[in-house]
Amino acid sequence: MTTSIIAFGGRPLTIKDVVEIANGKAQVALSDAPEFVEKVDAGVRFLNELLEQDGVIYGVTTGYGDSCTVSVPENLVNELPIHLTRFHGCGLGDTFDEQETRAILSTRLSSLAQGYSGVSWELLERLVVMLNENMLPLIPKEGSVGASGDLTPLSYIAGALIGERDVRFRDKVMNSAEAFELLGMPVHKLRPKEGLAIMNGTAVMT
């Protein structure tokens, strides 16, 4: 039974917060503090303006890593984050348990809720839904951790958001698209940079 609601974006997340969320003793929400709202809006606005100006944005209009000098045509910008999640979805071994997965999700949400990644409200809200509904991506324990971010394990969160990975939901393992459908929600459509924003972090290592 939940005993509290922990709001993201209004104050720093504490270890105690993560423990409560991981143990299912707290639900989560996004802060309605004006400064937080403006931070997220500003990040989205800045990214949109750069795209309209045909700006060069790493991982959005360019490739990744050593391919950063390769330009991505405008008509493929929206496909790039999808391919990034698929490319890194090569984890192995056992999956993290529910407690560990909830801790990973909460830590990643905390980072994205800082407002510096240019992610949309829709993405932040989907992560809130996944935590509150206990829709937990199956994340393999073996893969790249700390190598320019926890790219492989975090790709399973991104893949779950777009309906291409399995989740634990209502005591069953099912495709995430089916789980979202049971909640009356479509899968998330990644905006430019959102695949990179989800994956290029250290939530699993943390």
Side-chain angles (χ1 to χ4, degrees):
M1 180 178 294
T2 58
T3 58
S4 61
I5 296 178
I6 294 171
F8 285 73
R11 61 172 178 79
L13 193 70
T14 67
I15 293 175
K16 181 182 177 182
D17 292 335
V18 175
V19 171
E20 287 193 0
I21 296 168
N23 289 330
K25 294 182 178 179
Q27 287 200 311
V28 303
L30 298 176
S31 171
D32 58 1
E35 57 271 23
F36 168 62
V37 173
E38 173 53 28
K39 247 183 166 181
V40 175
D41 287 343
V44 173
R45 192 163 57 242
F46 179 68
L47 181 58
N48 288 342
E49 289 171 356
L50 281 179
L51 287 170
E52 289 173 3
Q53 297 166 6
D54 296 325
V56 176
I57 312 167
Y58 174 78
V60 178
T61 60
T62 75
Y64 305 101
D66 289 343
S67 296
C68 64
T69 57
V70 177
S71 297
V72 176
E74 183 180 350
N75 64 314
L76 296 179
V77 163
N78 289 310
E79 286 189 36
L80 188 62
I82 299 172
H83 292 295
L84 180 69
T85 67
R86 293 171 178 168
F87 179 80
H88 284 283
C90 54
L92 297 170
D94 296 334
T95 57
F96 289 102
D97 64 25
E98 292 193 17
Q99 183 188 49
E100 293 165 332
T101 304
R102 290 175 63 82
I104 291 168
L105 284 171
S106 62
T107 306
R108 197 72 205 109
L109 176 58
S110 176
S111 179
L112 294 175
Q114 300 305 306
Y116 299 122
S117 300
V119 300
S120 63
W121 283 107
E122 290 80 7
L123 187 148
L124 296 176
E125 289 163 356
R126 285 309 177 88
L127 292 176
V128 167
V129 167
M130 293 176 85
L131 279 166
N132 286 341
E133 296 291 340
N134 215 35
M135 183 195 299
L136 304 178
L138 297 186
I139 305 174
K141 290 185 176 182
E142 296 180 30
S144 57
V145 176
S148 185
D150 305 334
L151 301 176
T152 292
L154 290 178
S155 76
Y156 285 81
I157 296 177
L161 285 166
I162 65 175
E164 294 192 356
R165 292 293 176 188
D166 287 341
V167 294
R168 292 189 191 93
F169 184 58
R170 296 180 180 175
D171 298 320
K172 294 181 181 179
V173 171
M174 64 180 73
N175 178 266
S176 57
E178 181 183 352
F180 279 122
E181 185 177 358
L182 289 172
L183 292 173
M185 304 175 72
V187 298
H188 181 67
K189 183 176 180 180
L190 291 172
R191 296 183 74 251
K193 196 178 182 291
E194 287 191 334
L196 182 64
I198 296 169
M199 293 167 53
N200 197 14
T202 56
V204 180
M205 184 166 59
T206 299

